[in-house]
């Protein structure tokens, strides 16, 4: 199986499509936003023409009212990988959700259920307080993790179980990396080039109807903490639609949020996939 990873807007989908055409492959989505049916435009899902050109799996398969975490996705991805191999096709897993890929390749950590009271206490903390609390209990995790939601997750795990998240992850089982011939490659670009692609893609999303897509999502009246409501671009564009900020401000916030997310992804893949070769957005050398 092949894994094409990297930051948002780097060109992973195009690389995966070219490789699938060359090898007779099946593309399996590993993007946490692209699994939701509600965000075809804003999550930058492959076009209908691209999806028709080669088999694409796990795109738009979850309703926004539902939740898809890394463990659930890994189960679905394993099934699609097995089906692709049985059909004589090369599974090509592509996306930028590092925890999805880590769970698939390294297995699922046997973290026990989190105490609801602990979860409520942690989720009530502001990001700075949560990070300081994590630093006191698990300084390595606090230094390594940038995303506030993952900081909260690491904090609730150590508070609830008494063991650090890294200890649970070391005990993970069921990963494909130990079972399959995995060829991984990271698609990345110099920061200025990546920013230019992010900006151009956002302009294209808006021209394609991203605002209408967010308006339709708003009419679903989902909880504010639903995963799909926190996807890149949704909060600022929703704030604009509700009259809280002007469109220019919403666009700029989305642009900056996406750039910050891409930077976190670059850091994660640099640290977690050191042995994988790097490539630009051209064809891939596998």
């Amino acid at each position: 199986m092949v894994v094409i990873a990297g930051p948002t807007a780097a060109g992973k989908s195009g690389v995966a499509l070219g490789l699938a055409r060359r090898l007779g492959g099946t593309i399996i989505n590993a993007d946490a936003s692209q699994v939701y049916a509600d965000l075809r435009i804003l999550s930058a899902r492959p076009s209908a023409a691209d999806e028709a050109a080669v088999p694409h799996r796990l795109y738009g398969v979850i309703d926004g009212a539902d939740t898809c975490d890394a463990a659930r996705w890994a189960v679905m991805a394993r099934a699609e990988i097995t089906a692709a191999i049985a059909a004589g096709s090369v599974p090509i897993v592509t996306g930028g959700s590092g925890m999805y890929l880590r769970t698939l390749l390294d297995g699922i950590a046997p973290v026990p259920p989190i105490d609801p009271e602990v979860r409520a206490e942690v989720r009530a903390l502001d990001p700075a307080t949560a990070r300081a609390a994590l630093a006191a209990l698990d300084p390595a995790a606090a230094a390594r993790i940038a995303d506030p939601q993952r900081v909260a997750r690491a904090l609730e795990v150590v508070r609830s179980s008494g063991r650090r998240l890294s200890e649970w992850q070391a005990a993970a089982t069921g990963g494909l990396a130990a079972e399959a011939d995995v060829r991984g490659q990271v698609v990345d670009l110099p920061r200025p080039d990546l920013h230019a692609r992010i900006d151009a893609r956002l302009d294209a999303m808006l021209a394609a109807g991203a605002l209408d897509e967010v308006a339709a999502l708003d009419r679903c009246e989902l909880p504010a903490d639903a995963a799909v409501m926190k996807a890149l671009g949704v909060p600022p564009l929703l704030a604009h639609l509700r009259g809280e900020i002007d469109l220019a401000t919403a666009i700029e916030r989305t642009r900056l949020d996406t750039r910050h997310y891409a930077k976190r992804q670059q850091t994660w893949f640099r640290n977690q996939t050191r042995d994988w070769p790097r490539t630009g957005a051209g064809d891939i050398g596998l």
Side-chain angles (χ1 to χ4, degrees):
M1 59 177 282
V2 176
V3 178
I4 308 297
T8 187
K12 299 182 297 297
S13 294
V15 169
L17 181 63
L19 190 63
R21 282 175 166 155
R22 198 172 80 200
L23 299 181
T26 295
I27 298 175
I28 300 167
N29 170 48
D31 182 287
S33 293
Q34 291 180 348
V35 298
Y36 291 103
D38 311 69
L39 293 178
R40 181 177 197 107
I41 297 171
L42 207 54
S43 70
R45 269 175 56 187
S47 68
D50 287 346
E51 289 187 356
V54 300
H56 282 68
R57 302 289 185 260
L58 302 187
Y59 290 89
V61 295
I62 303 292
D63 186 89
D66 202 353
T67 299
C68 184
D69 59 15
R72 180 180 180 184
W73 173 85
V75 171
M76 296 190 297
R78 266 183 168 270
E80 295 295 350
I81 290 166
T82 300
I85 293 171
S89 179
V90 177
I92 302 171
V93 179
T94 184
S97 296
M99 291 309 298
Y100 276 30
L101 294 173
R102 181 173 185 171
T103 301
L104 177 68
L105 298 177
D106 296 341
I108 298 174
V111 180
I114 303 300
D115 184 308
E117 291 186 8
V118 171
R119 171 160 289 165
E121 290 171 1
V122 169
R123 301 295 164 154
L125 300 175
D126 65 80
T129 302
R131 181 173 295 280
L134 180 62
L137 296 172
D138 189 351
R144 183 181 74 251
I145 301 173
D147 181 65
Q149 291 187 35
R150 292 184 56 215
V151 167
R153 170 63 175 168
L155 179 58
E156 68 185 21
V157 166
V158 70
R159 280 189 173 181
S160 180
S161 71
R163 294 179 65 187
R164 298 173 180 178
L165 182 59
S166 60
E167 295 177 59
W168 289 112
Q169 290 171 339
T173 58
L176 277 179
E179 304 172 18
D181 178 11
V182 179
R183 309 289 181 90
Q185 193 145 0
V186 176
V187 181
D188 203 356
L189 298 169
R191 193 70 53 79
D193 295 341
L194 186 60
H195 286 180
R197 288 178 66 99
I198 288 170
D199 294 349
R201 190 179 68 174
L202 178 56
D203 290 342
M205 288 174 174
L206 292 166
L211 274 172
D212 292 336
E213 187 173 71
V214 174
L217 182 64
D218 191 28
R219 290 193 292 272
C220 295
E221 299 183 346
L222 300 177
D225 62 350
V228 73
M229 297 298 287
K230 295 183 287 187
L232 279 173
V234 171
L237 293 179
L238 191 56
H240 164 66
L241 291 171
R242 292 174 175 174
E244 299 166 8
I245 57 176
D246 60 32
L247 181 57
T249 300
I251 292 172
E252 185 60 19
R253 286 184 185 176
T254 301
R255 194 184 315 278
L256 291 176
D257 287 347
T258 307
R259 288 182 176 189
H260 292 156
Y261 177 61
K263 182 179 180 181
R264 294 196 299 272
Q265 288 177 300
Q266 287 178 310
T267 300
W268 196 92
F269 286 116
R270 187 163 52 247
N271 292 333
Q272 300 294 325
T273 60
R274 291 189 180 95
D275 297 333
W276 291 13
R278 265 59 181 165
T279 185
D283 202 5
I284 198 162
L286 288 171

